[in-house]
Amino acid sequence: MAFTVTSSVDGTVAKLTLAGRLDANTAREFQVEIEKVAEQRPCTVALFVHELEYMASAGIRMLVFTKQKLGSETDVYVVGAQHQIIHTLEMTGVDKSVILVDEFEPAASIQG
Amino acid sequence: MNMRTLIVPSDLSSLDLVADLVLEEAREAGLDQRETYQLRLAVDEILTNIINYGYLANGLSGQIHVHAERYDESLVITLEDTSPPYDPCQRDTARVAEDFDKPLEERQIGGLGIYFALQAVSEFRYEYRDGRNRNIFIMRRSRLTSSTTSDQQDVVHS
């Protein structure tokens, strides 16, 4: 399945939907989309990854890039990740810096 | 033993071709979902390094041979390339892992791929022989469901 990424910004919440294979060949597309939403300085970024079948280290680097681009005060949600992707995030301690959820509800989530 | 070989060019568009081979062979070999994902991850990461740092960074291009060998209890994937010798095991992955306790905004970017590769499979070996790097990934399966045949198939992409 080819990689696709789409984005929208609603107020202070940026939503990106990722599908397919996120690897070294496709990570640049993700980076371009992050740079696009970063211009609107969102407080929250939600990555919808229900249809993301694979994430290589290039994907981890993009999560690092996202945090470094937007700053530590920006919350990054990873929504609907499949088990193996969660395992990859846990292996690298990334799960401690992003918020893993099954469903994203901005108001409730931001309140914590 | 069942063996199949795929030959791909040294550019990143080959990642999908090789992933498809690994996924297909893993299914035939009876690897479970976790074993399949981990093997695919390991091969993908080393292949990415070969293409980016072995070939592209050195202004080189070439062909990478991917061998898949199915045995009674394991699937072995071997990547053979002619870029300059590089042993991934020489990478200090302990230093990479030290970063895992840091917040993302304080991390260095790099070294993760080899860390994944070495962690993901049952066994990883590196050899340099006859002018070729050989990165060998062995995934032993936890359940024995696959048949063993002795046909051979070569596929070339250029």
Side-chain angles (χ1 to χ4, degrees):
Chain A
M1 183 180 178
F3 178 74
T4 60
V5 54
T6 56
S7 68
S8 64
V9 179
D10 181 8
T12 59
V13 180
K15 297 179 179 178
L16 292 90
T17 302
L18 289 71
R21 301 172 171 180
L22 178 52
D23 58 23
N25 197 34
T26 57
R28 175 70 187 150
E29 297 171 47
F30 183 24
Q31 182 174 349
V32 167
E33 211 66 22
I34 285 290
E35 287 172 340
K36 193 168 82 178
V37 301
E39 290 173 2
Q40 300 184 57
R41 300 186 177 278
C43 298
T44 301
V45 174
L47 306 174
F48 294 87
V49 297
H50 304 81
E51 301 297 322
L52 189 67
E53 68 178 61
Y54 174 73
M55 184 168 67
S57 64
I60 298 288
R61 282 194 288 277
M62 285 303 101
L63 292 177
V64 173
F65 172 80
T66 301
K67 275 295 223 182
Q68 293 181 346
K69 183 82 178 171
L70 297 171
S72 58
E73 67 279 5
T74 302
D75 288 327
V76 176
Y77 288 79
V78 177
V79 187
Q82 62 150 300
H83 177 73
Q84 293 299 335
I85 289 177
I86 292 174
H87 178 66
T88 302
L89 299 177
E90 289 173 344
M91 272 176 75
T92 51
V94 172
D95 60 314
K96 297 171 196 151
S97 293
V98 300
I99 303 163
L100 294 170
V101 292
D102 291 330
E103 293 182 16
F104 179 67
E105 295 175 28
S109 301
I110 291 169
Q111 287 167 9
Chain B
M1 189 268 286
N2 181 304
M3 181 170 176
R4 184 179 173 196
T5 296
L6 175 72
I7 302 174
V8 295
S10 57
D11 62 65
L12 291 174
S13 65
S14 295
L15 296 181
D16 267 356
L17 295 170
V18 175
D20 288 342
L21 172 78
V22 172
L23 293 174
E24 189 177 326
E25 289 295 321
R27 184 172 58 247
E28 291 293 324
L31 298 187
D32 67 21
Q33 192 177 12
R34 183 196 66 81
E35 293 161 345
T36 299
Y37 192 97
Q38 295 292 91
L39 178 60
R40 184 255 188 102
L41 179 64
V43 173
D44 182 70
E45 296 291 356
I46 294 296
L47 180 59
T48 297
N49 272 23
I50 291 169
I51 292 168
N52 279 339
Y53 303 113
Y55 286 99
L56 296 179
N58 290 310
L60 301 172
S61 64
Q63 291 183 320
I64 299 166
H65 293 230
V66 187
H67 305 291
E69 299 165 76
R70 270 184 270 138
Y71 296 93
D72 287 347
E73 298 180 359
S74 64
L75 173 60
V76 179
I77 303 290
T78 302
L79 300 179
E80 280 191 6
D81 72 87
T82 54
S83 69
Y86 179 73
D87 180 359
C89 301
Q90 299 299 312
R91 178 87 190 196
D92 186 358
T93 53
R95 181 167 293 178
V96 174
E98 285 173 8
D99 248 13
F100 295 168
D101 289 329
K102 294 180 184 172
L104 296 190
E105 48 274 25
E106 295 176 16
R107 291 192 185 194
Q108 301 293 313
I109 295 178
L112 267 182
I114 291 174
Y115 175 85
F116 278 161
L118 301 185
Q119 295 288 320
V121 289
S122 307
E123 188 177 342
F124 176 83
R125 295 181 199 152
Y126 170 83
E127 301 170 353
Y128 188 77
R129 190 191 302 167
D130 301 328
R132 288 176 172 271
N133 293 291
R134 288 168 50 85
N135 290 275
I136 303 165
F137 308 80
I138 302 168
M139 185 59 93
R140 299 186 184 89
R141 65 173 175 263
S142 55
R143 54 194 167 89
L144 305 177
T145 56
S146 179
S147 62
T148 55
T149 56
S150 57
D151 55 318
Q152 180 165 337
Q153 179 181 4
D154 292 344
V155 181
V156 179
H157 290 266
S158 57

